[in-house]
Amino acid sequence: MKNREFFKGVPFAHRGLHDNKTIPENSMAAFKNAVEHGYGIEFDVYLTDEGTLIVHHDPSLKRSCGADIHPEKIKNADLEKYRLFGTDEKIPLLKDVLSFIDGRVKLIIEIKVTKKYEKTCTAVFEALKDYKGEYCLESFDPRAVLYMQNERPDLLVGQLYDPNPIQRIYCHRMKTHEKAAFLAASVKTLKTRFYEKTQAKDPSVAIVTWTIRTPAQLALARSKADNFIFESNIKDDSYIPMPPVK
């Protein structure tokens, strides 16, 4: 049950504890807010062409910064000019995020899907080598998951599991879902018996579900998963308020 122990306790804030208004997702402000409220944090990592690990979700900066450029193509010299969602917040560097969090809360770090998955994973390993806090790694890309499993069997590595049937086919073809310490399950697939069968076969496999936004999803997550990744939104009354940390 070792793998499931990591997920016991407080839920994880999706891309930090942001409010979709003044505190943008995947920002230092969102991470600070999550730490102050005692939540774990889930965030996303890309490796730029210059070898810099940055924290960002989308495969373009268009939604977040108004610039149609892939995160991998960002130059270090240009990082200062990009601002997140019309705020003063900048795209964080992974090293700065780790330095700030400093082991105070648990982390779920997603390796984004790119052709340079091996370089990204290796760079993340290096960035985390002296980090003293608790963390796990995950990816939608089964190639990245398999690489991490083979290169660092000592780490807690999970397979993100998507409703997209093509993604599931690749996972099953490479058997990463069978080797993973945990499955990060979309709440859209959580009602299927796949996860119950997985844990019946190997009780050590943890199930963490994403992204919980509504009361119905929250109830489902608490009944079916070891933990969950949630998102609040002060602009939308249908979203859950921040769940209790205990």
Side-chain angles (χ1 to χ4, degrees):
M1 303 295 283
K2 176 184 175 183
N3 300 334
R4 299 176 75 174
E5 286 295 318
F6 174 87
F7 292 101
K8 283 187 176 179
V10 303
F12 292 81
H14 189 228
R15 306 175 198 167
L17 190 58
H18 57 93
D19 62 10
N20 203 31
K21 186 176 181 181
T22 60
I23 303 176
E25 65 184 54
N26 275 336
S27 68
M28 292 300 292
F31 303 143
K32 180 175 184 290
N33 198 27
V35 169
E36 288 177 347
H37 283 83
Y39 293 113
I41 300 172
E42 180 271 350
F43 62 79
D44 315 272
V45 173
Y46 278 102
L47 182 69
T48 71
D49 285 342
E50 294 183 325
T52 302
L53 288 166
I54 61 172
V55 176
H56 193 266
H57 176 266
D58 293 5
S60 168
L61 267 63
K62 190 167 185 179
R63 181 178 70 94
S64 60
C65 302
D68 194 7
I69 180 174
H70 196 285
E72 289 183 314
K73 301 299 183 182
I74 298 174
K75 302 300 181 185
N76 290 345
D78 292 334
L79 277 169
E80 282 290 326
K81 75 180 184 182
Y82 298 117
R83 292 293 185 271
L84 295 168
F85 298 95
T87 70
D88 290 332
E89 291 291 316
K90 299 177 290 186
I91 297 171
L93 304 183
L94 176 61
K95 66 176 184 177
D96 293 336
V97 173
L98 295 176
S99 178
F100 169 74
I101 295 172
D102 194 28
R104 289 179 288 175
V105 297
K106 293 178 181 179
L107 305 178
I108 299 176
I109 303 173
E110 179 183 341
I111 308 298
K112 299 305 291 182
V113 178
T114 71
K115 292 180 180 179
K116 58 174 73 174
Y117 66 91
E118 291 186 7
K119 288 184 178 179
T120 305
C121 293
T122 301
V124 170
F125 295 158
E126 179 66 19
L128 288 164
K129 69 178 183 179
D130 296 320
Y131 186 69
K132 304 303 182 185
E134 294 183 272
Y135 65 89
C136 64
L137 303 174
E138 64 177 12
S139 183
F140 277 110
D141 190 339
R143 299 171 303 170
V145 172
L146 187 62
Y147 182 81
M148 291 189 285
Q149 289 169 339
N150 290 337
E151 294 295 315
R152 292 295 305 272
D154 57 309
L155 297 181
L156 195 66
V157 176
Q159 175 67 65
L160 274 153
Y161 208 68
D162 193 90
N164 184 323
I166 295 176
Q167 195 263 352
R168 294 204 304 273
I169 287 171
Y170 280 110
C171 291
H172 285 245
R173 184 175 295 171
M174 299 179 72
K175 299 187 183 301
T176 52
H177 69 297
E178 294 181 357
K179 302 174 184 177
F182 67 95
L183 294 178
S186 166
V187 70
K188 296 176 182 178
T189 67
L190 197 57
K191 286 184 178 180
T192 66
R193 294 207 57 215
F194 172 76
Y195 303 106
E196 293 176 13
K197 291 179 180 178
T198 298
Q199 286 187 323
K201 185 176 181 180
D202 184 354
S204 72
V205 176
I207 306 297
V208 57
T209 188
W210 51 272
T211 299
I212 303 307
R213 296 184 172 95
T214 68
Q217 291 173 342
L218 180 59
L220 180 63
R222 285 178 166 156
S223 67
K224 296 283 189 179
D226 291 288
N227 208 327
F228 57 92
I229 300 167
F230 77 95
E231 185 173 297
S232 296
N233 186 332
I234 62 174
K235 293 182 179 179
D236 192 329
D237 292 338
S238 70
Y239 277 50
I240 57 172
M242 291 186 291
V245 295
K246 292 183 180 180

